[in-house]
Amino acid sequence: MFAKFANINISYYFCCTFETNMEITFEKDYLRQLFYEGKAKDKQHLYQPHIIKKYVQIVNIMDSVDTTTDLLRYRSLHYEKLIGEKAGLESVRVNDQYRIEFRTSTDGQITLCNITELSNHYK
């Protein structure tokens, strides 16, 4: 009886610790710098501190979900697949003005998410 109990606990442990979160990569250096350092080194990509803070929060949310369809749970992100000249890209909103554009692909069970741009939606 003890062996069965031990097997159940072990299988439960492995089931719960296996992570299938999206793997996040950054296409451009300034995106990586904004996430890890809180600012970009070049003067072309200057953002207000509250935009950078929100960008980091959203990238962390993206990292915590398993697939892009899980982003639909966060209604404030307004997850969408882009059309037109940006077909093939997906986006989530940082605020009313900015959005994070990214490209996803699936490698087995892992969803790879390559962030391509932090864009001003209206420019």
Side-chain angles (χ1 to χ4, degrees):
M1 183 169 177
F2 181 74
K4 288 181 182 178
F5 182 74
N7 287 338
I8 291 170
N9 283 340
I10 290 171
S11 64
Y12 175 76
Y13 175 76
F14 286 117
C15 172
C16 293
T17 58
F18 181 74
E19 295 183 18
T20 58
N21 294 349
M22 285 199 299
E23 184 177 314
I24 306 291
T25 59
F26 301 94
E27 188 170 289
K28 299 174 182 167
D29 286 336
Y30 86 91
L31 296 165
R32 184 179 303 101
Q33 292 166 0
L34 287 175
F35 183 71
Y36 289 110
E37 299 170 22
K39 62 181 179 177
K41 293 180 181 175
D42 61 348
K43 294 183 182 195
Q44 182 181 3
H45 298 102
L46 296 176
Y47 297 96
Q48 295 292 323
H50 68 280
I51 300 296
I52 296 170
K53 181 179 177 183
K54 189 74 170 167
Y55 168 75
V56 170
Q57 289 173 347
I58 293 171
V59 172
N60 282 327
I61 289 171
M62 293 171 68
D63 186 42
S64 71
V65 299
D66 297 333
T67 63
T68 52
T69 54
D70 293 336
L71 292 172
L72 293 171
R73 290 185 293 184
Y74 301 93
R75 298 177 98 186
S76 64
L77 296 181
H78 298 278
Y79 166 72
E80 63 180 336
K81 292 186 177 187
L82 301 178
I83 56 175
E85 65 183 41
K86 293 194 175 200
L89 292 175
E90 301 163 72
S91 75
V92 290
R93 295 232 183 120
V94 173
N95 64 8
D96 290 338
Q97 186 177 6
Y98 290 94
R99 67 182 177 188
I100 298 172
E101 297 174 0
F102 58 96
R103 200 174 272 112
T104 59
S105 63
T106 304
D107 182 24
Q109 291 187 356
I110 298 174
T111 301
L112 305 172
C113 176
N114 185 27
I115 297 177
T116 59
E117 192 70 47
L118 175 60
S119 67
N120 186 336
H121 184 62
Y122 298 102
K123 282 190 178 180

